[in-house]
């Protein structure tokens, strides 16, 4: 989903002065550091930054367990990786944009901007449903405004062939790759029909991250770190500056999105690091980005080939954030367990797992109250002018999905998500699996309630443009009409890693 498409860039400058979050100890740590813990300036794939050139104990990786990855194994002889069956060759560091060109159905709407290679999804039998792991560091992104004149706003539609037969990873990757390319040319974001909705969703994420991303006050040695799973185009980078983190690690399956996220980060990265003169319009944290499948690979499998030593140097982290994405994992129990294991093993005790997902309570209510229509195809559908949910199979009359995995629906959000398959996330199942991995539920609330409860506190803290972008027709702030129902489809949650 995506409102998820929160790739909404909020208006620039929404990074909040984080002076209140800075303890003296932290300032000292920053001053004393002479090498960044996660460097953004890897000039080539072969160069390993100095801070990573350390011996690392093998058992650090063992906490993530063993996963099978189908790809060429050229790591023979390196016993550290044998249990993950992952490649350490430089070949995996190559950008993998060479999805072969299909030359298919050019859409007149943005044909001139078209990257035809993005249209085709790979066949479901292809082993590439697990992406090759790619690190992003030294990437040149053309400035689109230099090449194309902005004429009018063009709403987004994806063009995915083989949609019916392709597997979810391929559909999702193609969709978000196309979305990323399109967003460069579509015109001013303020013209989007869901501009207000995006601002609303961003505000919710500010509130969740602002309230629940906490540094480890008992450990002055560790840098304040956030792992952003399914990070998309880096729509939450501003929020990370807002909460004052020191290190950011972003992973997404869409290589175009990861490229874009890195490009955005690089453009706003503060050049000089000084605890005394902090430029709050810039990113004062270090970051790295990688492509990977967060539901099918372990975090070391994704990160280590590109950033050797990163697990030992930067994990466990203080927060794992997964925004508007977890529902894609509910295709199978195995995917959900892989994801939750990744999250739990990445977190320090007391660290938080923060996410936003469609609410199974909301979906159940719609079904129980029979607030749906039957399409000509016989499929049941609910929604309004902004969003729609179309069930693949008849939903259960009581709205309780059993078994809790693989309950597919197609989600549509105007100008953002174009009929992409998603899966119902029965919240109790998420809670129970999370508990299996030592994650305890701390907070769960519908978006409307989060907004109403938190807005008095956040109104003075957030960027003015973001707030103004939520102005309703009655002069108040928040969501209204069809947008209100569309945002009410979502909930925010927070789990905490148990232990000391
Ligand atoms: C709606 S977007 C959300 C992006 C970002 N979290 C935000 O809030 O702006 C969903 C993201 O999930 C990513 N995604 C879906 N399945 C994934 C997977 N298995 N592994 C990694 N990323 C995945 C998509 O590529 C897409 O960028």
């Amino acid at each position: 989903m995506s409102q998820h498409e929160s790739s909404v860039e909020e208006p620039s400058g929404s990074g909040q002065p984080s002076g209140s979050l800075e303890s003296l100890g932290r300032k000292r740590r920053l001053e004393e550091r002479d090498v960044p813990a996660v460097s953004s300036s890897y000039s080539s794939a072969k160069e390993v930054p100095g801070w990573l050139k350390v011996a690392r104990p093998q058992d650090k990786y063992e906490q993530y367990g063993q996963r099978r990855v189908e790809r060429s194994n050229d790591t023979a002889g390196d016993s550290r990786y044998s249990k993950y069956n992952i490649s350490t060759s430089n070949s995996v560091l190559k950008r993998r944009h060479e999805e072969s060109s299909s030359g298919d159905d050019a859409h007149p709407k943005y044909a001139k901007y078209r990257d035809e290679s993005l249209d085709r999804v790979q066949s479901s039998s292809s082993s590439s449903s697990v992406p090759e792991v790619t690190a992003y560091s030294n990437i040149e992104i053309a400035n689109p405004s230099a090449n194309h004149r902005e004429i009018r706003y063009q709403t987004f539609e994806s063009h995915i062939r083989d949609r019916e037969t392709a597997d979810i990873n391929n559909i999702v990757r193609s969709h978000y790759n196309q979305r990323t390319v399109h967003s460069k040319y579509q015109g001013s974001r303020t013209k989007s029909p869901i501009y207000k909705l995006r601002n609303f969703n961003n505000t919710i994420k500010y509130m969740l991250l602002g309230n629940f991303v906490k540094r480890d006050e008992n450990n002055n040695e560790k840098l304040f770190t956030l792992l952003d799973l399914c990070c998309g185009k880096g729509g939450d980078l501003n929020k990370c500056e807002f909460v004052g983190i020191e290190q950011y690690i972003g992973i997404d399956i869409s290589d175009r999105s990861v490229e874009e996220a890195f490009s955005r980060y690089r453009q706003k990265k503060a050049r000089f690091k000084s605890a005394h003169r902090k430029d709050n319009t810039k990113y004062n944290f270090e970051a790295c980005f990688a492509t990977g499948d967060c539901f099918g690979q372990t975090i070391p499998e994704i990160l280590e080939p590109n950033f050797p030593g990163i697990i030992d140097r930067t994990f466990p982290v203080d927060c794992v954030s997964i925004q508007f994405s977890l529902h894609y994992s509910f295709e199978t129990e195995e995917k959900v367990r892989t994801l939750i294991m990744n999250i739990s093993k990445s977190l320090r005790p007391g660290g938080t797992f923060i996410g936003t997902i469609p609410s199974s309570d909301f979906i159940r209510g719609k079904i129980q109250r029979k607030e749906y229509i039957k399409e000509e195809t016989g499929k049941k559908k609910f929604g309004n002018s902004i969003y729609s949910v179309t069930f693949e199979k008849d939903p259960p009359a009581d709205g309780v999905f059993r078994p809790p995995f693989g309950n597919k629906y197609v989600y549509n959000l105007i100008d953002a998500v174009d009929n992409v398959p998603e899966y119902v996330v029965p919240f109790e199942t998420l809670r129970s699996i999370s508990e299996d991995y030592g994650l305890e539920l701390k907070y769960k609330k519908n978006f409307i309630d989060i907004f109403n409860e938190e807005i008095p506190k956040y109104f003075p803290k957030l960027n003015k443009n973001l707030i103004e972008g939520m102005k309703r027709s009655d002069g108040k702030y928040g969501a209204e009409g069809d947008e209100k129902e569309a945002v009410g489809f979502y909930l925010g949650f927070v789990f905490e890693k148990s232990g000391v």
Side-chain angles (χ1 to χ4, degrees):
M1 92 137 164
S2 253
Q3 313 183 20
H4 324 348
E5 258 322 290
S6 55
S7 36
V8 171
E9 292 329 273
E10 319 96 31
S12 63
S14 39
Q16 172 77 0
S18 56
S20 60
L21 289 169
E22 274 184 346
S23 66
L24 261 180
R26 175 186 171 217
K27 282 186 182 161
R28 204 170 303 125
R29 284 199 312 279
L30 283 172
E31 284 161 6
E32 284 165 2
R33 289 175 52 74
D34 53 2
V35 274
V38 180
S39 169
S40 64
S41 58
Y42 311 140
S43 54
S44 82
K46 284 180 190 152
E47 266 177 42
V48 177
W51 62 270
L52 287 172
K53 288 176 185 161
V54 288
R56 49 197 183 278
Q58 185 169 331
D59 59 5
K60 277 278 179 184
Y61 311 107
E62 279 163 3
Q63 64 173 344
Y64 286 90
Q66 186 168 344
R67 307 267 333 148
R68 192 175 61 84
V69 179
E70 286 171 17
R71 66 160 62 93
S72 69
N73 181 7
D74 48 1
T75 59
D78 186 344
S79 60
R80 280 174 309 153
Y81 294 93
S82 59
K83 61 176 178 290
Y84 300 116
N85 193 24
I86 49 181
S87 168
T88 53
S89 82
N90 285 327
S91 66
V92 300
L93 298 169
K94 277 191 358 212
R95 289 169 52 189
R96 40 169 301 286
H97 297 156
E98 293 86 32
E99 290 174 59
S100 59
S101 170
S102 60
D104 47 72
D105 47 7
H107 190 285
K109 202 166 169 190
Y110 57 94
K112 64 180 168 176
Y113 305 130
R114 185 58 160 265
D115 178 344
E116 289 178 347
S117 68
L118 295 172
D119 287 355
R120 198 178 66 174
V121 295
Q122 286 133 354
S123 84
S124 52
S125 59
S126 156
S127 62
S128 62
S129 64
V130 175
E132 283 206 349
V133 174
T134 309
Y136 288 88
S137 29
N138 198 19
I139 297 161
E140 294 308 323
I141 304 274
N143 173 5
S145 58
N147 304 326
H148 305 285
R149 254 186 328 132
E150 251 180 38
I151 298 168
R152 64 191 165 82
Y153 188 84
Q154 300 184 347
T155 51
F156 173 67
E157 285 169 36
S158 63
H159 302 275
I160 298 176
R161 267 218 211 150
D162 313 327
R163 199 188 280 263
E164 296 305 313
T165 51
D167 81 1
I168 177 88
N169 276 3
N170 283 322
I171 295 175
V172 163
R173 188 192 304 129
S174 296
H175 178 275
Y176 286 102
N177 276 349
Q178 289 182 21
R179 178 85 194 92
T180 300
V181 172
H182 181 90
S183 66
K184 289 166 180 281
Y185 309 118
Q186 74 182 143
S188 167
R189 290 170 188 280
T190 57
K191 304 256 171 56
S192 167
I194 55 164
Y195 176 64
K196 287 185 182 178
L197 175 145
R198 287 174 160 167
N199 284 326
F200 187 95
N201 286 343
N202 271 313
T203 300
I204 295 292
K205 290 196 283 183
Y206 269 102
M207 292 166 169
L208 288 171
L209 297 177
N211 287 351
F212 295 104
V213 183
K214 300 268 186 265
R215 67 169 52 254
D216 187 356
E217 297 297 348
N218 300 319
N219 187 348
N220 265 357
E221 299 302 310
K222 274 273 184 192
L223 293 181
F224 188 20
T225 305
L226 181 140
L227 172 64
D228 193 0
L229 299 182
C230 309
C231 64
K233 295 180 279 178
D236 291 344
L237 289 168
N238 285 353
K239 294 160 198 91
C240 288
E241 180 62 25
F242 176 78
V243 299
I245 65 155
E246 292 159 340
Q247 295 182 136
Y248 171 96
I249 303 160
I251 300 174
D252 198 282
I253 202 169
S254 156
D255 43 4
R256 298 279 166 138
S257 298
V258 174
E259 267 186 26
E260 178 67 7
F262 177 71
S263 169
R264 288 174 178 184
Y265 168 74
R266 199 175 48 175
Q267 280 166 24
K268 274 187 76 180
K269 169 82 173 73
R271 284 170 164 232
F272 305 105
K273 198 163 193 172
S274 158
H276 302 297
R277 277 181 295 139
K278 195 168 164 186
D279 181 350
N280 292 303
T281 64
K282 302 272 193 223
Y283 298 142
N284 293 278
F285 53 88
E286 304 299 330
C288 69
F289 303 85
T291 52
D293 175 1
C294 300
F295 319 147
Q297 297 171 279
T298 68
I299 300 300
E301 279 169 356
I302 296 168
L303 296 178
E304 277 289 331
N306 302 290
F307 309 111
I310 190 171
I311 299 293
D312 192 40
R313 294 297 297 266
T314 63
F315 285 69
V317 301
D318 298 285
C319 175
V320 178
S321 169
I322 176 163
Q323 304 301 330
F324 297 112
S325 311
L326 186 145
H327 40 283
Y328 295 118
S329 73
F330 259 74
E331 184 189 16
T332 65
E333 180 170 359
E334 192 190 0
K335 284 190 176 194
V336 179
R337 287 193 177 273
T338 300
L339 171 68
I340 303 296
M341 178 203 66
N342 272 332
I343 293 166
S344 176
K345 290 183 184 297
S346 296
L347 275 176
R348 66 167 170 82
T352 47
F353 157 36
I354 304 176
T356 42
I357 50 171
S359 160
S360 53
D361 294 340
F362 182 100
I363 294 172
R364 191 174 58 244
K366 285 280 181 192
I367 296 170
Q368 286 176 347
R369 294 190 300 273
K370 295 194 169 32
E371 287 173 6
Y372 50 73
I373 57 161
K374 208 163 184 178
E375 290 198 304
E376 276 174 18
T377 56
K379 290 183 178 172
K380 289 185 176 149
K381 173 176 179 172
F382 68 81
N384 59 33
S385 66
I386 305 268
Y387 85 106
S388 68
V389 167
T390 308
F391 294 103
E392 177 154 279
K393 294 188 192 141
D394 249 13
D398 61 359
V400 180
F401 290 83
R402 307 177 195 85
F405 307 100
N407 296 298
K408 188 167 168 181
Y409 60 87
V410 169
Y411 182 77
N412 196 69
L413 177 68
I414 186 170
D415 196 29
V417 185
D418 186 16
N419 292 320
V420 173
E422 299 186 358
Y423 298 90
V424 176
V425 181
F427 195 84
E428 270 311 296
T429 304
L430 175 65
R431 194 192 55 74
S432 148
I433 292 180
S434 298
E435 248 177 30
D436 290 348
Y437 292 86
L439 298 163
E440 194 189 329
L441 183 65
K442 287 283 165 197
Y443 180 92
K444 175 201 169 200
K445 250 179 206 144
N446 180 276
F447 272 21
I448 305 291
D449 293 336
I450 298 175
F451 186 87
N452 290 340
E453 282 171 29
E454 299 295 333
I455 196 63
K457 177 171 145 195
Y458 278 85
F459 200 86
K461 292 188 183 187
L462 296 174
N463 178 276
K464 261 177 74 180
N465 293 337
L466 182 65
I467 296 282
E468 284 309 307
M470 292 187 292
K471 199 161 189 173
R472 303 189 318 199
S473 50
D474 63 3
K476 295 181 179 166
Y477 295 89
E480 62 182 331
D482 281 359
E483 283 185 349
K484 187 165 185 178
E485 181 177 320
V487 297
F489 182 51
Y490 289 93
L491 63 81
F493 64 78
V494 180
F495 289 85
E496 190 179 289
K497 172 87 179 277
S498 52
V500 280

